[in-house]
Amino acid sequence: MSNHDKSRGVRDMFGAIAGRYDFLNHFLSANIDRRWRKICVREVGGRIPVPVPRILDIGCGTGDLSLAFSDLGPVIGCDFCHPMLCVGASKVRHSRLSRPVELLEADALLLPFADASFDVVVSAFVLRNLADIDRGLQEMRRILRPGGVMSVLDFGMPRMPVLAPIYRFYFLRVLPKLGKIISGVEGPYGYLPASVQSFPSAETLKEKAELAGFQNVKFKLLTGGVAVLLLGNAGCPDPNRT
Ligand SMILES: C[S@@+](CC[C@H](N)C(=O)[O-])C[C@H]1O[C@@H](n2cnc3c(N)ncnc32)[C@H](O)[C@@H]1O
């Protein structure tokens, strides 16, 4: 499948479930996704390089991570799925925010921002969906100023002896069926486990982030490895880059 076809498939899939996305997210994860986003904000909050950072949330979807990060600084959330952004725009309008949140339609693989224009870049449950993960990480690095903070949250597969088989059963057998019943759409919740299984391990993600030019790269396994939080800093730009 070409990158273009994968991107179009992902955009159509999220467009089809945009109205039920939040409910499904919280229900199928028993609300643990909220906790993971809070941890992401806390980890970045402890590393921010300036008092009021400019923050970009890539693949912001319906805006939960953008809203959470507005406690730290002004946020631009971008996503290439218009229906997801419409849900997000309504949430932004109805939220009391410490700092502004703006939403923008844009592709994570070709961000419409100048080099070094943000202090923080964050992204939750997006990297796995990108047609080109390396390119996505390079774009994150490009738009961050040197020393800026990158934080990426995504699913992993737990490896702990007791948790792993229970989680696999839920994730591979139960979740796709529940997702289909609630969303009324066949594809997305069958795609979710498949995309997580083919997603690189936390160790490989760390290597990819380093190759993209990030320094001090670390990962944290959340909820026994059900989710992975990748953190790093933008290094100095490569002087040989054209
Ligand atoms: C699983 S949702 C996550 C949404 C949100 N970050 C959250 O935490 O709930 C993935 C989002 O990534 C977006 N996405 C996937 N590939 C993208 C790309 N190439 N450019 C922009 N957005 C993308 C999808 O449209 C979707 O809204």
Side-chain angles (χ1 to χ4, degrees):
M1 190 193 294
S2 71
N3 284 1
H4 178 263
D5 287 347
K6 169 152 183 180
S7 291
R8 197 177 51 194
V10 166
R11 190 166 46 234
D12 291 350
M13 189 177 68
F14 283 105
I17 57 164
R20 313 223 78 193
Y21 174 81
D22 283 341
F23 171 73
L24 278 158
N25 230 3
H26 305 322
F27 177 75
L28 294 174
S29 75
N31 263 333
I32 298 175
D33 64 308
R34 292 186 205 265
R35 209 177 130 239
W36 293 334
R37 289 190 187 85
K38 274 190 193 149
I39 294 173
C40 183
V41 175
R42 194 181 66 214
E43 290 289 335
V44 171
R47 290 172 165 79
I48 44 176
V50 289
V52 184
R54 285 166 46 83
I55 302 165
L56 178 65
D57 175 14
I58 297 179
C60 63
T62 58
D64 278 355
L65 194 68
S66 300
L67 292 170
F69 267 97
S70 65
D71 284 343
L72 298 184
V75 182
I76 294 182
C78 69
D79 201 289
F80 70 178
C81 178
H82 190 78
M84 292 285 273
L85 286 173
C86 289
V87 177
S90 158
K91 283 159 70 178
V92 169
R93 267 198 307 279
H94 294 101
S95 300
R96 278 168 195 254
L97 299 171
S98 330
R99 302 245 161 58
V101 172
E102 288 175 59
L103 301 182
L104 180 87
E105 203 161 329
D107 190 334
L109 302 181
L110 201 64
L111 292 169
F113 304 109
D115 294 2
S117 44
F118 291 90
D119 303 297
V120 172
V121 63
V122 295
S123 191
F125 311 110
V126 177
L127 207 58
R128 181 173 35 87
N129 295 297
L130 296 183
D132 185 339
I133 292 175
D134 298 311
R135 167 88 195 192
L137 287 166
Q138 285 158 12
E139 276 295 85
M140 288 182 190
R141 166 65 197 90
R142 182 184 67 74
I143 55 84
L144 263 190
R145 73 171 183 76
V149 181
M150 168 274 291
S151 173
V152 167
L153 182 62
D154 216 315
F155 285 110
M157 286 305 271
R159 299 170 209 167
M160 285 153 73
V162 179
L163 178 64
I166 298 172
Y167 182 73
R168 287 182 81 81
F169 179 75
Y170 170 71
F171 198 61
L172 303 180
R173 306 257 172 217
V174 180
L175 181 142
K177 291 199 176 81
L178 273 181
K180 182 183 164 190
I181 292 167
I182 300 170
S183 69
V185 186
E186 174 101 57
Y189 291 90
Y191 161 83
L192 174 61
S195 68
V196 173
Q197 282 186 304
S198 60
F199 192 48
S201 67
E203 291 80 3
T204 307
L205 275 183
K206 177 176 182 287
E207 284 170 19
K208 284 181 176 292
E210 285 164 350
L211 274 176
F214 288 101
Q215 297 174 345
N216 312 319
V217 182
K218 295 180 181 54
F219 62 81
K220 286 178 182 271
L221 300 182
L222 309 181
T223 319
V226 172
V228 176
L229 180 64
L230 188 72
L231 293 153
N233 293 103
C236 289
D238 179 356
N240 299 319
R241 197 173 68 104
T242 50

